[in-house]
Amino acid sequence: MAQTTPIDNRAAQRTAFVLAGGGSLGAVEVGMLQALLDWGETPAFIVGASAGAINAAYFAADPTRAGADKLEGIWCALKRRDVLPFSLGSMLGMLLRRGHLVDSHALRRLLERNIPYQQLEQAALPVHIVASDMLTGNEVVLSSGSVVDAVLASAAIPGVFPPVRIGGRFLVDGGVANNTPISSAIRLGATRIIVLPTGFACALDRLPTGAIARAIHALSLLVSRQLVHDAERFAGDVTLRIVPNLCPLDVSPYDYSAGRSLIAQSRTRTRQWLETGGLDHAGVPQPLHEHRH
């Protein structure tokens, strides 16, 4: 009897990579991307929110291992001041009721310097950025228009960054409505979704210091809780796989000094997960559930 070649069911599915938010912990998504690409995973499109929107926009310019390596270089050189240049002027601005602590000029410069296309529809890989309508709280998926404005909107933590006005709406962080946008990917036509979560700092021995640090830490906890909920909700609607996040993790999502280490650890952990059949099994990785060390 002639031997038949097994059919790879992945070829018949439309795979989306979904990148969650999580401040500086967004670095772990780079290691995940590298390992997935080495394994032969190539998405039909990518969806990102908050820090995940930054990674998604960068990666969509060159959705290859070389592109992921360039993104690693950006994260390794990144300083907190490149994203969150807090100063005495920031505090005075808050006291003067301007409504936010940090101007987004530094982040805008970072994006403009590193993203080689201007409009979302010009990306080499279709990319969709999730933000939230500040007035209604509704989810807004941006698939065309200025890539820099879209990413700034998706990363605009309320009270920390100013909202971004797009199409007559004031938009803020995607985490307000949908920080791990599984549902967005499904509506966009994905039949197979691989989620790249940032996780959360589960091994901190004390609360982060400062209002911004605490706000970002709280948001990262919210993202993880929502991801667990959404994974259980949509498990029957799509082939859903979640890459395990790092655990234990004692790096605050406000700490931008650990990018190189986070990427290396994440790349190794993801490779181990792939080699042990991770993509063949559904379910939420245990480190995403509530726990303490």
Side-chain angles (χ1 to χ4, degrees), residues 8 38 51 56 63 73-74 88 92 110-111 116 133 175 181 217 225 254 273 276 287:
D8 186 352
D38 288 345
I74 293 171
L88 178 60
L92 291 174
L110 179 70
L111 298 172
D133 187 311
H217 176 67
R225 303 299 184 268
Y254 187 56
W273 176 72
T276 55

Side-chain angles (χ1 to χ4, degrees), residues 53 98-100 102-105 107-108 111-112 120 129-135 138 140 142 144-174 176:
R98 70 176 179 182
H100 59 273
V102 181
D103 285 322
S104 56
H105 302 316
L107 181 54
R108 178 178 287 276
L111 298 172
E112 290 175 343
L120 286 165
I129 303 300
V130 177
S132 306
D133 187 311
M134 189 174 184
L135 183 62
N138 292 334
V140 178
L142 301 167
S144 61
S146 168
V147 60
V148 171
D149 285 349
V151 173
L152 285 176
S154 184
I157 302 170
V160 176
F161 286 116
V164 178
R165 187 169 185 173
I166 298 178
R169 293 178 293 193
F170 287 97
L171 304 182
V172 293
D173 197 297
V176 174

Side-chain angles (χ1 to χ4, degrees), residues 14-67:
R14 192 162 189 252
T15 298
F17 284 0
V18 171
L19 278 59
S24 65
L25 301 184
V28 305
E29 295 175 339
V30 181
M32 293 173 179
L33 280 172
Q34 291 170 328
L36 287 166
L37 291 166
D38 288 345
W39 196 255
E41 288 292 341
T42 54
F45 64 92
I46 192 167
V47 183
S50 197
I54 297 174
N55 285 334
Y58 280 137
F59 180 67
D62 182 6
T64 66
R65 176 58 195 264

Side-chain angles (χ1 to χ4, degrees), residues 139-206:
E139 173 189 311
V140 178
V141 178
L142 301 167
S143 304
S144 61
S146 168
V147 60
V148 171
D149 285 349
V151 173
L152 285 176
S154 184
I157 302 170
V160 176
F161 286 116
V164 178
R165 187 169 185 173
I166 298 178
R169 293 178 293 193
F170 287 97
L171 304 182
V172 293
D173 197 297
V176 174
N178 196 356
N179 208 298
T180 307
I182 295 172
S183 58
S184 303
I186 293 173
R187 286 195 298 272
L188 288 164
T191 58
R192 179 173 177 263
I193 295 173
I194 300 177
V195 179
L196 285 63
T198 59
F200 58 97
C202 57
L204 291 178
D205 57 6
R206 63 177 62 88

